[in-house]
Amino acid sequence: MKHYRSAILMALALATAATAVAEEKTLQSPDGRMTVTVSDEGGKPAYSVSRGGVTFIEKSPLGVRLNFADLTAGLTMKACDVKAVSDEYDLMTTKQHHVVYEANEAVCQFDKDGYRMDVIFRVSNRDVAYRYKLYPRRGRGGETLVAVVEGEASGFTLPEGTTTFLCPQSKPMGGFARTSPSYETSYTLDDAMGKNGWGEGYSFPCLFRVPSQQGAWVLISETGTDGGYVGCRLLNDGGANYRIGFPQQGEMNGQGSTTAAVSLPSMTPWRTITCGETLANVVETTVAWDLVQPKYKASRDYSYGKGSWSWIIGMDSSCNFDEQKRYIDFSAAMGWRSVLIDAFWDKQIGYERMAELARYGREKGVGIFLWYNSNGQWNDAPQTPIGRMDRSAARRQEMKWMRDNGILGIKVDFFGGDKQPMMQLYEDILTDANEFGIQCIFHGCTLPRGWERMYPNYVASEAVLASENLHFGQGACDAEATNGCIHPFIRNTVGSMDFGGSTLNKFYGADNKRGTIRRTSDVYALATAVLFQSSVQHFAMAPNNLTDAPAWAVDFMRQVPTTWDEVRFLDGYPGRYVVLARRSGDKWYVVGINAQKSPLKLTLPLPMFAKGTTVTCYTDDAQLAGRCKAVKLKSAKMKVEIPCNGGLVITGQ
């Protein structure tokens, strides 16, 4: 018994000694409301995040595992140097044109037996971000200058009672032609913690509602990922801690490693955490672009705008010469910039006649985007052109042909994976395309991670259950408003989203008489043209809409911008309803949609409009019959009502 007591006392003494020498540093945002606490207690680096006295992230692990060192335990924090950082930039392709970024940065140095790892924190007034800097190690055989990052301990422990709004990641080599994962699964809303999706975790970005007196929100994602690392996801082993997960082994048909090979010294991508008492910080955050820099200069002045797209209504058979000529005429009549010509154009139109279409388009002031299959050896997608984008020589030859024929851009599809070779392929396509002055849209793909700023010719990615599903199944049409009320709060917050919606057809069919039935209103279609942000929009409208859709709706779609100077969150809840405002130049667009069974009734603050301003209002009645009228504002507020599946648009200066 005496020996047992002695052992207990010795253990307590050692624990007390370890606690006594543990380092703890705090870092605050410029306004003092956000606090990050970093520690090395027990030799394990960790951090926590609070804002305004509310805990958003509880004590959570940090660290990486290298092929020659485990930098997740046995570490000591030697220093934590703090300085103010700032940046100012313009970006036409995101939600905010001019951004002034201010934050405090801490470089926390952790050592272990001659190994060094820095954890670099950035804390702004609404965002926390961190990444790792990894260093060479000098040994008997010389300096270690390369490493394999086998995994990260990086975690995010949410407070008890947090609810989740997450998109499960699919297993590899599943879905259509074995093209998954492609970030195209349905969100679970207001769900409990402790689950792991369909067994493979969750795709970024990930939204959580943290318990507090009023309720609070935290959005977790990553940015700055390029060909030097892997794309990551969130995993949960049960409980409140979510951790960074690397790609699945089966991705890319098993090709490539799930790990990241890096040269030393090396920086990992940023892990980002956006916190707010309301959803305003989540909707308005620019953290995805604040933390990155352009990787090259734009080879030309890229322009943006609207376009038409026959495939969403007419499918593969519409990709023929005569129909695409009709869509060029339609884009010209709408005053739009482009048409997107989808799969099988190389077989159903051919290169020579495509060059003829491009010439015809130029005469009409309409450019062309062309669809390509990314495929090399990683899935079974048969759509052509194939074998043009996965190899440098073929890709550059194709892009030279595009430049010579005035093609504006490409839409590359069917990637399916986040391994390092796939992330490198994205970067290679973008880099080569810029050399030839070509803009890039990606589909069947990963989430963009700061790419609008990193790659000047990058436009948007799908990475969402997009409009094609409205054609493929009535269930997607029935749930259209619910899904539309999710994307402004999650997917579209951190990257441009190529959705391809806003149809004015009643049916998803070429004759507008058969096919899946649209449940949402025409005003809903107008609202989502503003809600869903992408600097290039290929809408699901068709030439018949010039005569069978309301003139006021067609006129709105002629004029609606695709680039924005500012965004403001006004009201909403994921999956239920959303109201936000975007500004283009001096003109504001206030838009809302409602997925709830009951009509949404709000007294809407409109601080962007002065009292006495006459605004244009597009509203629905209970039967989803839209109308357009001028309203003179008696105050800076307006009572509005949006029926289920309906929309609201208010425009004015």
Side-chain angles (χ1 to χ4, degrees), residues 100-152:
V100 177
Y101 174 66
E102 294 181 345
N104 290 324
E105 178 183 276
V107 179
C108 300
Q109 178 184 336
F110 290 88
D111 285 1
K112 176 183 178 179
D113 299 329
Y115 296 99
R116 176 180 172 182
M117 174 187 72
D118 291 346
V119 185
I120 304 171
F121 282 91
R122 290 274 188 92
V123 184
S124 70
N125 291 342
R126 63 187 171 201
D127 307 295
V128 172
Y130 67 87
R131 66 175 174 178
Y132 304 101
K133 184 174 183 179
L134 308 173
Y135 289 89
R137 180 177 185 269
R138 184 172 295 279
R140 291 182 180 179
E143 222 174 5
T144 303
L145 295 177
V146 295
V148 175
V149 182
E150 297 180 337
E152 297 184 18

Short mmCIF file of all heavy atoms in Angstrom, two decimals, residues 100-152:
data_model
loop_
_atom_site.label_atom_id
_atom_site.label_comp_id
_atom_site.label_asym_id
_atom_site.label_seq_id
_atom_site.Cartn_x
_atom_site.Cartn_y
_atom_site.Cartn_z
N VAL A 100 -10.12 44.94 -47.98
CA VAL A 100 -9.07 45.39 -47.07
C VAL A 100 -9.00 44.37 -45.94
O VAL A 100 -9.97 44.20 -45.18
CB VAL A 100 -9.37 46.80 -46.51
CG1 VAL A 100 -8.28 47.21 -45.51
CG2 VAL A 100 -9.46 47.81 -47.64
N TYR A 101 -7.89 43.68 -45.86
CA TYR A 101 -7.73 42.59 -44.89
C TYR A 101 -6.76 43.02 -43.80
O TYR A 101 -5.65 43.47 -44.07
CB TYR A 101 -7.19 41.35 -45.59
CG TYR A 101 -6.84 40.20 -44.66
CD1 TYR A 101 -7.82 39.54 -43.94
CD2 TYR A 101 -5.52 39.77 -44.53
CE1 TYR A 101 -7.50 38.48 -43.10
CE2 TYR A 101 -5.18 38.71 -43.70
CZ TYR A 101 -6.18 38.08 -42.98
OH TYR A 101 -5.86 37.02 -42.16
N GLU A 102 -7.21 42.89 -42.57
CA GLU A 102 -6.36 43.19 -41.41
C GLU A 102 -6.47 42.05 -40.41
O GLU A 102 -7.58 41.57 -40.13
CB GLU A 102 -6.79 44.51 -40.75
CG GLU A 102 -6.56 45.73 -41.62
CD GLU A 102 -6.97 47.02 -40.93
OE1 GLU A 102 -7.69 46.94 -39.91
OE2 GLU A 102 -6.58 48.10 -41.41
N ALA A 103 -5.34 41.64 -39.88
CA ALA A 103 -5.33 40.53 -38.93
C ALA A 103 -4.08 40.62 -38.07
O ALA A 103 -3.15 41.38 -38.36
CB ALA A 103 -5.36 39.19 -39.67
N ASN A 104 -4.08 39.85 -37.02
CA ASN A 104 -2.89 39.64 -36.21
C ASN A 104 -2.37 38.23 -36.47
O ASN A 104 -3.16 37.29 -36.56
CB ASN A 104 -3.19 39.85 -34.72
CG ASN A 104 -3.45 41.31 -34.40
OD1 ASN A 104 -2.84 42.21 -34.98
ND2 ASN A 104 -4.38 41.57 -33.50
N GLU A 105 -1.06 38.14 -36.60
CA GLU A 105 -0.44 36.86 -36.93
C GLU A 105 0.49 36.43 -35.81
O GLU A 105 1.25 37.23 -35.28
CB GLU A 105 0.35 36.97 -38.24
CG GLU A 105 1.06 35.69 -38.64
CD GLU A 105 1.90 35.84 -39.90
OE1 GLU A 105 1.31 35.71 -40.99
OE2 GLU A 105 3.11 36.11 -39.79
N ALA A 106 0.41 35.15 -35.47
CA ALA A 106 1.33 34.57 -34.48
C ALA A 106 2.05 33.40 -35.13
O ALA A 106 1.41 32.52 -35.72
CB ALA A 106 0.58 34.12 -33.24
N VAL A 107 3.37 33.38 -35.03
CA VAL A 107 4.17 32.25 -35.49
C VAL A 107 4.61 31.50 -34.24
O VAL A 107 5.50 31.96 -33.51
CB VAL A 107 5.37 32.70 -36.32
CG1 VAL A 107 6.19 31.49 -36.76
CG2 VAL A 107 4.91 33.51 -37.54
N CYS A 108 3.97 30.37 -33.98
CA CYS A 108 4.24 29.59 -32.77
C CYS A 108 5.20 28.46 -33.12
O CYS A 108 4.86 27.57 -33.91
CB CYS A 108 2.95 29.04 -32.19
SG CYS A 108 1.76 30.32 -31.73
N GLN A 109 6.39 28.51 -32.54
CA GLN A 109 7.44 27.55 -32.86
C GLN A 109 7.38 26.37 -31.89
O GLN A 109 7.45 26.54 -30.68
CB GLN A 109 8.82 28.20 -32.77
CG GLN A 109 9.98 27.24 -33.04
CD GLN A 109 11.32 27.90 -32.84
OE1 GLN A 109 11.44 29.12 -32.94
NE2 GLN A 109 12.35 27.11 -32.55
N PHE A 110 7.28 25.16 -32.45
CA PHE A 110 7.29 23.94 -31.66
C PHE A 110 8.52 23.12 -32.03
O PHE A 110 8.81 22.93 -33.22
CB PHE A 110 6.02 23.12 -31.92
CG PHE A 110 4.76 23.74 -31.36
CD1 PHE A 110 4.03 24.65 -32.11
CD2 PHE A 110 4.33 23.41 -30.09
CE1 PHE A 110 2.88 25.22 -31.59
CE2 PHE A 110 3.17 23.97 -29.56
CZ PHE A 110 2.45 24.88 -30.32
N ASP A 111 9.23 22.63 -31.02
CA ASP A 111 10.45 21.84 -31.23
C ASP A 111 10.30 20.45 -30.64
O ASP A 111 9.60 20.25 -29.63
CB ASP A 111 11.65 22.52 -30.58
CG ASP A 111 12.13 23.72 -31.37
OD1 ASP A 111 11.49 24.03 -32.40
OD2 ASP A 111 13.11 24.35 -30.97
N LYS A 112 11.02 19.49 -31.27
CA LYS A 112 11.04 18.12 -30.77
C LYS A 112 12.31 17.44 -31.27
O LYS A 112 12.43 17.14 -32.46
CB LYS A 112 9.82 17.35 -31.25
CG LYS A 112 9.82 15.87 -30.86
CD LYS A 112 8.62 15.15 -31.43
CE LYS A 112 8.64 13.67 -31.06
NZ LYS A 112 7.46 12.95 -31.61
N ASP A 113 13.27 17.24 -30.38
CA ASP A 113 14.49 16.48 -30.70
C ASP A 113 15.15 16.95 -31.99
O ASP A 113 15.51 16.14 -32.86
CB ASP A 113 14.16 14.99 -30.80
CG ASP A 113 13.60 14.42 -29.51
OD1 ASP A 113 13.98 14.93 -28.44
OD2 ASP A 113 12.79 13.48 -29.58
N GLY A 114 15.28 18.25 -32.14
CA GLY A 114 15.95 18.78 -33.32
C GLY A 114 15.03 19.05 -34.49
O GLY A 114 15.45 19.63 -35.49
N TYR A 115 13.79 18.61 -34.41
CA TYR A 115 12.81 18.92 -35.44
C TYR A 115 12.09 20.20 -35.06
O TYR A 115 11.84 20.46 -33.88
CB TYR A 115 11.78 17.80 -35.59
CG TYR A 115 12.37 16.51 -36.08
CD1 TYR A 115 12.68 15.48 -35.18
CD2 TYR A 115 12.59 16.30 -37.43
CE1 TYR A 115 13.20 14.28 -35.62
CE2 TYR A 115 13.13 15.10 -37.88
CZ TYR A 115 13.43 14.09 -36.97
OH TYR A 115 13.95 12.91 -37.42
N ARG A 116 11.70 20.98 -36.06
CA ARG A 116 10.96 22.20 -35.80
C ARG A 116 9.71 22.25 -36.68
O ARG A 116 9.73 21.87 -37.85
CB ARG A 116 11.82 23.43 -36.09
CG ARG A 116 11.07 24.76 -35.92
CD ARG A 116 11.94 25.96 -36.20
NE ARG A 116 11.14 27.20 -36.22
CZ ARG A 116 11.63 28.41 -36.47
NH1 ARG A 116 12.94 28.55 -36.72
NH2 ARG A 116 10.84 29.47 -36.48
N MET A 117 8.64 22.71 -36.08
CA MET A 117 7.38 22.94 -36.80
C MET A 117 6.79 24.25 -36.30
O MET A 117 6.65 24.45 -35.10
CB MET A 117 6.39 21.80 -36.53
CG MET A 117 5.00 22.03 -37.12
SD MET A 117 3.81 20.76 -36.62
CE MET A 117 3.57 21.19 -34.88
N ASP A 118 6.49 25.14 -37.22
CA ASP A 118 5.78 26.37 -36.86
C ASP A 118 4.30 26.19 -37.15
O ASP A 118 3.92 25.65 -38.20
CB ASP A 118 6.29 27.57 -37.66
CG ASP A 118 7.71 27.96 -37.29
OD1 ASP A 118 8.20 27.50 -36.24
OD2 ASP A 118 8.31 28.74 -38.06
N VAL A 119 3.47 26.66 -36.23
CA VAL A 119 2.04 26.79 -36.51
C VAL A 119 1.78 28.29 -36.64
O VAL A 119 1.99 29.05 -35.69
CB VAL A 119 1.17 26.18 -35.41
CG1 VAL A 119 -0.30 26.24 -35.83
CG2 VAL A 119 1.58 24.74 -35.13
N ILE A 120 1.35 28.70 -37.82
CA ILE A 120 1.14 30.11 -38.12
C ILE A 120 -0.35 30.40 -38.05
O ILE A 120 -1.14 29.82 -38.80
CB ILE A 120 1.70 30.48 -39.50
CG1 ILE A 120 3.19 30.10 -39.59
CG2 ILE A 120 1.48 31.95 -39.80
CD1 ILE A 120 3.77 30.22 -40.98
N PHE A 121 -0.73 31.27 -37.12
CA PHE A 121 -2.12 31.66 -36.95
C PHE A 121 -2.36 33.04 -37.53
O PHE A 121 -1.53 33.93 -37.40
CB PHE A 121 -2.52 31.67 -35.47
CG PHE A 121 -2.78 30.31 -34.89
CD1 PHE A 121 -1.75 29.59 -34.29
CD2 PHE A 121 -4.04 29.74 -34.95
CE1 PHE A 121 -1.98 28.34 -33.76
CE2 PHE A 121 -4.27 28.49 -34.42
CZ PHE A 121 -3.25 27.78 -33.82
N ARG A 122 -3.51 33.22 -38.15
CA ARG A 122 -4.01 34.54 -38.54
C ARG A 122 -5.38 34.73 -37.88
O ARG A 122 -6.25 33.85 -38.01
CB ARG A 122 -4.15 34.65 -40.05
CG ARG A 122 -2.83 34.70 -40.81
CD ARG A 122 -2.30 36.12 -40.90
NE ARG A 122 -1.14 36.19 -41.78
CZ ARG A 122 -1.21 36.46 -43.09
NH1 ARG A 122 -2.40 36.68 -43.65
NH2 ARG A 122 -0.13 36.51 -43.82
N VAL A 123 -5.57 35.86 -37.22
CA VAL A 123 -6.85 36.13 -36.56
C VAL A 123 -7.34 37.50 -37.01
O VAL A 123 -6.74 38.53 -36.70
CB VAL A 123 -6.71 36.09 -35.02
CG1 VAL A 123 -8.08 36.29 -34.37
CG2 VAL A 123 -6.10 34.78 -34.56
N SER A 124 -8.42 37.51 -37.79
CA SER A 124 -9.07 38.76 -38.19
C SER A 124 -10.34 38.93 -37.36
O SER A 124 -10.61 38.14 -36.46
CB SER A 124 -9.40 38.73 -39.68
OG SER A 124 -10.45 37.82 -39.94
N ASN A 125 -11.13 39.92 -37.67
CA ASN A 125 -12.31 40.19 -36.84
C ASN A 125 -13.41 39.15 -37.00
O ASN A 125 -14.32 39.10 -36.17
CB ASN A 125 -12.86 41.58 -37.15
CG ASN A 125 -11.92 42.68 -36.67
OD1 ASN A 125 -11.04 42.44 -35.84
ND2 ASN A 125 -12.11 43.88 -37.19
N ARG A 126 -13.34 38.33 -38.06
CA ARG A 126 -14.37 37.29 -38.20
C ARG A 126 -13.80 35.91 -38.51
O ARG A 126 -14.55 34.93 -38.51
CB ARG A 126 -15.38 37.68 -39.28
CG ARG A 126 -14.83 37.83 -40.68
CD ARG A 126 -15.87 38.38 -41.63
NE ARG A 126 -15.27 38.71 -42.92
CZ ARG A 126 -15.81 39.56 -43.79
NH1 ARG A 126 -16.94 40.16 -43.52
NH2 ARG A 126 -15.21 39.81 -44.94
N ASP A 127 -12.49 35.82 -38.79
CA ASP A 127 -11.92 34.55 -39.20
C ASP A 127 -10.66 34.20 -38.41
O ASP A 127 -9.88 35.08 -38.04
CB ASP A 127 -11.54 34.58 -40.69
CG ASP A 127 -12.69 35.01 -41.58
OD1 ASP A 127 -13.67 34.27 -41.65
OD2 ASP A 127 -12.58 36.09 -42.19
N VAL A 128 -10.48 32.90 -38.21
CA VAL A 128 -9.23 32.35 -37.69
C VAL A 128 -8.71 31.38 -38.74
O VAL A 128 -9.48 30.63 -39.35
CB VAL A 128 -9.45 31.60 -36.36
CG1 VAL A 128 -8.19 30.86 -35.94
CG2 VAL A 128 -9.90 32.57 -35.27
N ALA A 129 -7.41 31.42 -38.98
CA ALA A 129 -6.81 30.47 -39.92
C ALA A 129 -5.46 30.04 -39.38
O ALA A 129 -4.79 30.77 -38.66
CB ALA A 129 -6.63 31.12 -41.30
N TYR A 130 -5.08 28.81 -39.71
CA TYR A 130 -3.74 28.36 -39.33
C TYR A 130 -3.19 27.40 -40.39
O TYR A 130 -3.95 26.75 -41.12
CB TYR A 130 -3.71 27.72 -37.94
CG TYR A 130 -4.46 26.42 -37.80
CD1 TYR A 130 -3.86 25.18 -38.09
CD2 TYR A 130 -5.77 26.39 -37.34
CE1 TYR A 130 -4.53 23.99 -37.93
CE2 TYR A 130 -6.46 25.20 -37.18
CZ TYR A 130 -5.84 24.00 -37.48
OH TYR A 130 -6.52 22.82 -37.33
N ARG A 131 -1.88 27.36 -40.46
CA ARG A 131 -1.18 26.41 -41.32
C ARG A 131 0.15 26.07 -40.67
O ARG A 131 0.58 26.70 -39.70
CB ARG A 131 -0.97 26.99 -42.71
CG ARG A 131 -0.03 28.18 -42.78
CD ARG A 131 0.19 28.60 -44.22
NE ARG A 131 0.97 29.82 -44.33
CZ ARG A 131 1.32 30.37 -45.49
NH1 ARG A 131 0.98 29.80 -46.62
NH2 ARG A 131 2.02 31.49 -45.52
N TYR A 132 0.81 25.08 -41.24
CA TYR A 132 2.08 24.61 -40.69
C TYR A 132 3.23 24.97 -41.63
O TYR A 132 3.09 24.93 -42.86
CB TYR A 132 2.06 23.09 -40.52
CG TYR A 132 0.92 22.59 -39.66
CD1 TYR A 132 -0.21 22.03 -40.24
CD2 TYR A 132 0.97 22.69 -38.28
CE1 TYR A 132 -1.26 21.57 -39.47
CE2 TYR A 132 -0.07 22.23 -37.48
CZ TYR A 132 -1.18 21.67 -38.09
OH TYR A 132 -2.23 21.22 -37.31
N LYS A 133 4.34 25.32 -41.02
CA LYS A 133 5.59 25.45 -41.77
C LYS A 133 6.52 24.34 -41.29
O LYS A 133 6.79 24.22 -40.09
CB LYS A 133 6.24 26.82 -41.57
CG LYS A 133 7.50 27.00 -42.44
CD LYS A 133 8.05 28.42 -42.35
CE LYS A 133 9.26 28.57 -43.28
NZ LYS A 133 9.82 29.94 -43.25
N LEU A 134 7.00 23.55 -42.23
CA LEU A 134 7.84 22.40 -41.93
C LEU A 134 9.26 22.68 -42.40
O LEU A 134 9.46 23.24 -43.48
CB LEU A 134 7.28 21.15 -42.62
CG LEU A 134 5.79 20.88 -42.37
CD1 LEU A 134 5.29 19.74 -43.23
CD2 LEU A 134 5.54 20.60 -40.89
N TYR A 135 10.23 22.25 -41.59
CA TYR A 135 11.63 22.62 -41.83
C TYR A 135 12.49 21.39 -42.13
O TYR A 135 12.17 20.28 -41.71
CB TYR A 135 12.20 23.31 -40.59
CG TYR A 135 11.65 24.70 -40.36
CD1 TYR A 135 10.49 24.89 -39.61
CD2 TYR A 135 12.26 25.82 -40.90
CE1 TYR A 135 9.97 26.15 -39.40
CE2 TYR A 135 11.75 27.09 -40.69
CZ TYR A 135 10.61 27.25 -39.94
OH TYR A 135 10.10 28.51 -39.72
N PRO A 136 13.61 21.60 -42.85
CA PRO A 136 14.59 20.52 -43.02
C PRO A 136 15.21 20.15 -41.67
O PRO A 136 15.15 20.92 -40.70
CB PRO A 136 15.65 21.12 -43.95
CG PRO A 136 15.01 22.32 -44.55
CD PRO A 136 14.03 22.82 -43.55
N ARG A 137 15.81 18.98 -41.60
CA ARG A 137 16.53 18.57 -40.39
C ARG A 137 17.92 18.09 -40.79
O ARG A 137 18.08 17.31 -41.72
CB ARG A 137 15.79 17.43 -39.68
CG ARG A 137 16.50 16.95 -38.41
CD ARG A 137 15.68 15.88 -37.72
NE ARG A 137 16.27 15.47 -36.45
CZ ARG A 137 17.13 14.48 -36.29
NH1 ARG A 137 17.55 13.80 -37.35
NH2 ARG A 137 17.60 14.18 -35.09
N ARG A 138 18.91 18.62 -40.10
CA ARG A 138 20.28 18.24 -40.38
C ARG A 138 20.65 17.02 -39.55
O ARG A 138 20.45 16.97 -38.34
CB ARG A 138 21.24 19.39 -40.07
CG ARG A 138 22.70 19.08 -40.45
CD ARG A 138 23.57 20.31 -40.30
NE ARG A 138 23.19 21.35 -41.24
CZ ARG A 138 23.57 21.37 -42.52
NH1 ARG A 138 24.33 20.39 -43.00
NH2 ARG A 138 23.21 22.35 -43.31
N GLY A 139 21.15 16.00 -40.22
CA GLY A 139 21.58 14.78 -39.54
C GLY A 139 22.94 14.34 -40.03
O GLY A 139 23.62 15.06 -40.78
N ARG A 140 23.33 13.15 -39.64
CA ARG A 140 24.65 12.64 -40.04
C ARG A 140 24.78 12.49 -41.55
O ARG A 140 25.85 12.66 -42.12
CB ARG A 140 24.90 11.30 -39.37
CG ARG A 140 25.09 11.40 -37.85
CD ARG A 140 25.37 10.04 -37.26
NE ARG A 140 25.54 10.11 -35.81
CZ ARG A 140 25.78 9.05 -35.05
NH1 ARG A 140 25.85 7.84 -35.60
NH2 ARG A 140 25.93 9.19 -33.75
N GLY A 141 23.69 12.15 -42.19
CA GLY A 141 23.73 11.95 -43.63
C GLY A 141 23.49 13.21 -44.43
O GLY A 141 23.33 13.15 -45.64
N GLY A 142 23.44 14.36 -43.76
CA GLY A 142 23.17 15.61 -44.44
C GLY A 142 21.79 16.12 -44.09
O GLY A 142 21.15 15.67 -43.14
N GLU A 143 21.31 17.06 -44.87
CA GLU A 143 20.05 17.71 -44.57
C GLU A 143 18.88 16.96 -45.22
O GLU A 143 18.96 16.55 -46.37
CB GLU A 143 20.07 19.16 -45.08
CG GLU A 143 19.47 20.14 -44.11
CD GLU A 143 19.62 21.58 -44.57
OE1 GLU A 143 20.11 21.80 -45.69
OE2 GLU A 143 19.24 22.47 -43.81
N THR A 144 17.81 16.80 -44.46
CA THR A 144 16.58 16.21 -45.00
C THR A 144 15.80 17.31 -45.70
O THR A 144 15.29 18.23 -45.05
CB THR A 144 15.73 15.60 -43.87
OG1 THR A 144 16.50 14.63 -43.17
CG2 THR A 144 14.48 14.95 -44.43
N LEU A 145 15.70 17.24 -47.01
CA LEU A 145 15.12 18.32 -47.79
C LEU A 145 13.77 17.98 -48.41
O LEU A 145 13.15 18.82 -49.05
CB LEU A 145 16.08 18.75 -48.90
CG LEU A 145 17.40 19.38 -48.41
CD1 LEU A 145 18.30 19.69 -49.60
CD2 LEU A 145 17.13 20.63 -47.60
N VAL A 146 13.33 16.74 -48.23
CA VAL A 146 12.01 16.34 -48.73
C VAL A 146 11.32 15.53 -47.65
O VAL A 146 11.95 14.93 -46.78
CB VAL A 146 12.10 15.52 -50.03
CG1 VAL A 146 12.67 16.37 -51.16
CG2 VAL A 146 12.93 14.27 -49.83
N ALA A 147 9.99 15.54 -47.71
CA ALA A 147 9.22 14.80 -46.72
C ALA A 147 7.91 14.34 -47.34
O ALA A 147 7.48 14.84 -48.38
CB ALA A 147 8.94 15.68 -45.50
N VAL A 148 7.31 13.38 -46.69
CA VAL A 148 5.95 12.95 -47.01
C VAL A 148 5.08 13.27 -45.81
O VAL A 148 5.36 12.82 -44.69
CB VAL A 148 5.87 11.45 -47.33
CG1 VAL A 148 4.41 11.02 -47.53
CG2 VAL A 148 6.70 11.11 -48.56
N VAL A 149 4.07 14.09 -46.02
CA VAL A 149 3.11 14.36 -44.96
C VAL A 149 2.08 13.24 -44.99
O VAL A 149 1.29 13.12 -45.92
CB VAL A 149 2.42 15.73 -45.16
CG1 VAL A 149 1.46 16.00 -43.99
CG2 VAL A 149 3.45 16.84 -45.27
N GLU A 150 2.13 12.40 -43.96
CA GLU A 150 1.27 11.23 -43.93
C GLU A 150 -0.11 11.53 -43.34
O GLU A 150 -1.05 10.75 -43.53
CB GLU A 150 1.95 10.11 -43.14
CG GLU A 150 3.25 9.65 -43.81
CD GLU A 150 3.95 8.55 -43.05
OE1 GLU A 150 3.70 8.44 -41.82
OE2 GLU A 150 4.73 7.80 -43.67
N GLY A 151 -0.21 12.64 -42.63
CA GLY A 151 -1.50 13.01 -42.06
C GLY A 151 -1.35 14.19 -41.13
O GLY A 151 -0.24 14.66 -40.86
N GLU A 152 -2.47 14.69 -40.66
CA GLU A 152 -2.48 15.81 -39.72
C GLU A 152 -3.31 15.45 -38.50
O GLU A 152 -4.28 14.70 -38.60
CB GLU A 152 -3.08 17.06 -40.37
CG GLU A 152 -2.30 17.60 -41.56
CD GLU A 152 -2.90 18.89 -42.10
OE1 GLU A 152 -3.68 19.54 -41.35
OE2 GLU A 152 -2.60 19.25 -43.24
#
